[in-house]
Amino acid sequence: MKAQIGQLIKILKGKDEERYAVIVEVLDERFVLIADGKKRKFDAPKKKNVLHLELLPIISQEVAISLQETGKVTNAKLRYAVQKVAHGKEINNG
């Protein structure tokens, strides 16, 4: 599976292990920028190797559309997307 903007991920390696976040930018085949809107804000995303992430089969349409239209997304939208996954609720894939 290829990483996509707005895709939810679970961090497998590093100090944020077991946390969820959203891909806010795909840098290349190996690296993406992630943010969760809480610990990792949109203004200061974390660069991660995709091998250290579990790519979940969930795309947050709200986040993806916001990034496509404006180039940015609110931390509240990121928190909302992460919270829904962390609490086991599916996000509408539109």
Side-chain angles (χ1 to χ4, degrees):
M1 181 192 279
K2 252 182 97 152
Q4 294 175 273
I5 288 178
Q7 186 168 12
L8 278 111
I9 55 97
K10 184 177 181 183
I11 301 164
L12 301 175
K13 297 261 193 255
K15 66 176 191 242
D16 293 331
E17 198 173 320
E18 297 296 308
R19 294 177 68 105
Y20 293 94
V22 182
I23 295 173
V24 293
E25 191 178 328
V26 177
L27 301 175
D28 56 33
E29 274 110 53
R30 279 191 59 202
F31 291 101
V32 295
L33 295 180
I34 62 167
D36 64 8
K38 194 189 215 157
K39 186 175 180 212
R40 227 356 120 178
K41 306 273 195 231
F42 175 72
D43 319 348
K46 175 84 175 146
K47 182 178 176 182
K48 290 293 275 184
N49 185 328
V50 292
L51 298 175
H52 298 168
L53 306 173
E54 178 185 339
L55 300 175
L56 302 175
I58 305 166
I59 307 280
S60 169
Q61 292 300 321
E62 265 191 334
V63 172
I65 290 166
S66 179
L67 284 165
Q68 278 173 352
E69 289 176 354
T70 65
K72 55 188 186 220
V73 66
T74 64
N75 288 313
K77 273 187 188 157
L78 291 172
R79 283 193 304 271
Y80 181 68
V82 168
Q83 186 182 3
K84 278 168 80 169
V85 169
H87 290 80
K89 296 186 191 93
E90 280 293 314
I91 293 179
N92 179 6
N93 281 322

